[in-house]
Amino acid sequence: MENSVSYIYRELLEKTKDVAVLGSIQSVIHWDMETMMPPNAVEQRSLQLELLSRIGHQMCTNSTVGKLLQQIQASSEYAKLGEIERRNVYLINKNYLEHTSLPEKLVADMAKQETVTVNAWKRAKAKKDYSLIKSELKKLFELSRQMAEVLMEVKQVKTPYEALIDQFEPKMSTQKITETFDTLQAGLRPLLNKIQETNTDLDTKNLCQPVSVEVQRQISQLLTQTLGYDTVSPAANGRVDETEHPFTSGSYQDVRITTHYYVNDFTNSIFSILHETGHALYELNVNPEWRYQPVGGPCSYGIHESQSRFYENIVGRSKEFWTGFLPKLQKIVPTLAKTGVEEFVYAINRVERSKIRIKSDEVTYNLHIIIRYEIERDLFGDKIGIDELPQVWNEKYEKYLGIKIKDDAEGVMQDTHWYSGLYGYFPSYALGNIYSGQINNALTEALPNWRSQLAHGNLVEVNSWLKNNIHYPSSFYEPEDLIKKATGKNIDSQPFIQYLQNKYKNNEH
């Protein structure tokens, strides 16, 4: 019958599939903007993205979707739907309520201003001058604030900032984040001090030797193949390109990553490839039966980051991984032939108080994130303003990391996020580290010999465990529920702290 719940449900899924397909189109256009678009196309691209955003908003707020939701939720047969179907209805309803609360003009203005601001940021960063971006950033921030204030009520959160966080980490409060980050800091600071006291002057010049971009492309291909991310075969679902700031874009059967090659710092690209490949594997491993359904999307950005940080650090900075991979690297870079595994692993795990987040080590990385989280929280809490960002940034870097910032490019303009309108995103990075520590414990309990397999370049069982326990469940659970199901525990920073303490015990790793 056409009025049955199952019929209405199928019709509802068709509507949301169109939204998912449009989102994949926007993803490719954003990817092109960062990789291939000619410099003079910014204005035209901003109009394209503005139009797509308006179309997407219209599709999400289509009154037919509202009527279908009302029919299905009011039906006496609603309880007969399975768990997956009810979860889809919940997620569609949440998305519908949020989008219908936002004026179409605000959505379009945001998309257009994001494009303008991120391109102005590139120019300002190149000139190391925050004043060149400040006016455009103010416009974007005000639009973001308007959006946050509208979403507060529908998301049922206490502050505008929590409304933004919910877009990336559903059901996560600032109170929970602050408490978790405070515990994280309490474990990291004494560890950092201890490591700094015992650091030895190891010669790391081999890691700074010139390696051409072409050779680094070969290294990237070898890394992606080793981790199971296909970028070269006729059936490939991915590709690697070059950008100023590495990122992952796409979903399902088209997931692309980018990196940045530095001739005198080839390991920087190695770890960005490991990181972005972790993101790509998550997107590619969604349950194929759930494609284009809300339940088939990633659980959260924090869960996403747990995968990128797991592959980048827990796998990619381990002695076991490099026992198998270093000989392959030495064939591509013969000047590394005399570098031993112990020496190489020590060098890539060296802890230093650095200015740049994406180049920082596992221990200090989280302090970079906590600084950004506190600034965002205070910015939306009206404790600081856009004009004060460079000063506040510099003061926090000196306080938390003992570092003096030289210019705006290495300071407040080093990341693209704020200039792309991604407020509330940063906490996900540190949450991802915390989740990865819990995943590491659960994986080790399930596969006690998984590290020894790394020494042979074998990630089959590791990838399979992650696929079954993290990737496949997708958005069926909220992030805290997923972590509890996968690891048996609620969010807890202690396993990650313990992982670092074990790794840097006596400063040997």
Side-chain angles (χ1 to χ4, degrees):
M1 291 178 61
E2 291 192 0
N3 289 327
S4 69
V5 164
S6 59
Y7 178 86
I8 297 169
Y9 175 74
R10 288 195 299 272
E11 191 175 351
L12 190 61
L13 282 191
E14 281 301 312
K15 295 289 184 185
T16 56
K17 179 180 178 180
D18 290 343
V19 175
V21 173
L22 181 69
S24 69
I25 296 170
Q26 289 173 300
S27 178
V28 172
I29 288 181
H30 274 288
W31 167 85
D32 174 78
M33 183 172 73
E34 297 295 334
T35 57
M36 303 291 181
M37 187 183 79
N40 201 36
V42 174
E43 182 180 356
Q44 182 174 330
R45 182 55 46 89
S46 71
L47 294 173
Q48 293 167 346
L49 288 170
E50 178 192 6
L51 175 60
L52 287 172
S53 292
R54 280 196 283 113
I55 293 171
H57 184 66
Q58 291 165 4
M59 292 169 70
C60 288
T61 59
N62 188 318
S63 60
T64 302
V65 173
K67 290 176 184 177
L68 292 171
L69 281 167
Q70 187 177 27
Q71 286 179 300
I72 203 169
Q73 290 172 321
S75 173
S76 58
E77 298 179 16
Y78 178 70
K80 295 180 181 179
L81 291 176
E83 287 185 316
I84 295 169
E85 288 82 3
R86 289 200 300 274
R87 178 65 175 171
N88 269 329
V89 171
Y90 165 80
L91 292 171
I92 294 169
N93 188 59
K94 181 176 186 283
N95 183 68
Y96 180 75
L97 291 175
E98 290 174 5
H99 276 83
T100 52
S101 70
L102 293 170
E104 182 181 313
K105 184 178 186 304
L106 176 58
V107 174
D109 287 347
M110 272 287 294
K112 186 175 181 180
Q113 188 59 40
E114 285 168 5
T115 307
V116 171
T117 307
V118 79
N119 279 279
W121 162 73
K122 291 176 183 177
R123 295 192 298 272
K125 185 177 181 181
K127 294 185 177 180
K128 303 179 181 181
D129 188 352
Y130 178 75
S131 67
L132 298 176
I133 184 62
K134 191 167 57 175
S135 63
E136 297 296 347
L137 183 59
K138 280 183 178 179
K139 296 175 189 176
L140 184 60
F141 171 72
E142 286 306 321
L143 290 169
S144 299
R145 172 180 281 283
Q146 289 177 43
M147 183 173 287
E149 289 174 348
V150 170
L151 291 173
M152 262 182 70
E153 183 175 351
V154 69
K155 287 178 177 289
Q156 298 182 326
V157 295
K158 297 177 181 178
T159 66
Y161 186 46
E162 284 187 330
L164 298 175
I165 290 173
D166 187 78
Q167 296 180 100
F168 305 103
E169 204 67 13
K171 307 296 184 185
M172 186 65 70
S173 68
T174 52
Q175 180 180 346
K176 173 60 73 70
I177 293 174
T178 299
E179 290 172 354
T180 304
F181 285 4
D182 286 348
T183 303
L184 184 60
Q185 277 196 76
L188 291 177
R189 291 198 174 200
L191 176 61
L192 177 58
N193 291 335
K194 181 181 178 182
I195 293 171
Q196 293 284 283
E197 289 170 2
T198 58
N199 255 344
T200 57
D201 293 327
L202 180 71
D203 186 358
T204 60
K205 65 177 182 295
N206 277 347
L207 301 189
C208 300
Q209 64 176 288
V211 177
S212 71
V213 169
E214 186 53 45
V215 169
Q216 290 190 57
R217 290 185 183 128
Q218 295 176 42
I219 298 171
S220 296
Q221 184 176 314
L222 184 57
L223 280 168
T224 54
Q225 288 176 325
T226 300
L227 267 61
Y229 173 50
D230 184 5
T231 61
V232 294
S233 83
N237 293 324
R239 57 180 290 138
V240 180
D241 292 280
E242 296 155 39
T243 51
E244 171 66 24
H245 193 100
F247 67 91
T248 299
S249 177
S251 58
Y252 306 133
Q253 295 158 300
D254 181 359
V255 184
R256 311 173 186 198
I257 70 172
T258 68
T259 188
H260 190 96
Y261 298 115
Y262 297 91
V263 172
N264 293 316
D265 186 7
F266 72 95
T267 60
N268 185 278
S269 176
I270 284 176
F271 290 105
S272 74
I273 289 290
L274 287 165
H275 181 98
E276 302 304 336
T277 296
H279 282 306
L281 291 174
Y282 185 16
E283 291 286 352
L284 289 168
N285 283 335
V286 165
N287 185 339
E289 295 180 7
W290 293 353
R291 282 179 188 159
Y292 305 112
Q293 297 181 29
V295 75
C299 177
S300 76
Y301 282 73
I303 298 297
H304 232 309
E305 288 301 325
S306 77
Q307 300 309 284
S308 60
R309 301 297 284 177
F310 180 85
Y311 281 99
E312 176 189 357
N313 294 323
I314 295 178
V315 169
R317 294 185 192 271
S318 69
K319 180 180 178 181
E320 293 86 358
F321 178 78
W322 286 102
T323 297
F325 196 80
L326 185 58
K328 299 176 184 178
L329 178 62
Q330 289 168 330
K331 289 181 180 179
I332 302 175
V333 187
T335 51
L336 288 172
K338 294 182 180 180
T339 303
V341 173
E342 294 280 353
E343 178 187 357
F344 189 87
V345 171
Y346 188 96
I348 61 173
N349 283 286
R350 187 172 176 81
V351 174
E352 294 180 303
R353 300 171 191 263
S354 64
K355 300 174 183 178
I356 308 300
R357 173 183 65 87
I358 61 173
K359 294 183 180 181
S360 62
D361 55 81
E362 286 182 273
V363 178
T364 60
Y365 182 92
N366 299 283
L367 298 176
H368 289 264
I369 297 305
I370 290 169
I371 287 170
R372 288 156 174 76
Y373 164 68
E374 291 182 354
I375 292 175
E376 283 188 342
R377 184 189 60 194
D378 292 347
L379 190 61
F380 282 90
D382 294 324
K383 295 182 179 178
I384 58 175
I386 294 294
D387 290 346
E388 301 169 82
L389 284 183
Q391 177 187 344
V392 173
W393 180 287
N394 295 352
E395 288 173 353
K396 284 186 178 288
Y397 261 79
E398 188 163 4
K399 177 182 176 183
Y400 284 61
L401 286 161
I403 287 174
K404 289 187 178 295
I405 300 298
K406 182 177 63 176
D407 57 56
D408 296 334
E410 66 179 24
V412 73
M413 291 196 299
Q414 70 173 261
D415 297 305
T416 185
H417 300 63
W418 292 342
Y419 310 93
S420 302
L422 296 175
Y423 299 101
Y425 190 138
F426 277 123
S428 301
Y429 289 114
L431 290 171
N433 278 334
I434 291 166
Y435 295 150
S436 75
Q438 295 181 250
I439 289 168
N440 178 43
N441 279 7
L443 177 62
T444 301
E445 185 174 339
L447 302 171
N449 67 334
W450 76 270
R451 286 186 173 275
S452 63
Q453 292 178 22
L454 284 184
H456 301 286
N458 182 1
L459 282 90
V460 174
E461 289 193 8
V462 171
N463 288 347
S464 179
W465 189 93
L466 291 170
K467 180 178 180 178
N468 292 331
N469 291 277
I470 304 296
H471 304 164
Y472 249 51
S474 303
S475 283
F476 185 73
Y477 303 102
E478 301 294 358
E480 286 192 88
D481 296 331
L482 176 61
I483 283 298
K484 186 170 184 178
K485 182 172 177 58
T487 71
K489 295 182 179 180
N490 293 321
I491 181 173
D492 182 6
S493 61
Q494 212 52 50
F496 179 68
I497 295 169
Q498 188 65 54
Y499 153 75
L500 291 176
Q501 289 173 338
N502 291 339
K503 183 172 186 175
Y504 289 93
K505 186 178 181 180
N506 301 321
N507 211 15
E508 297 172 358
H509 36 272

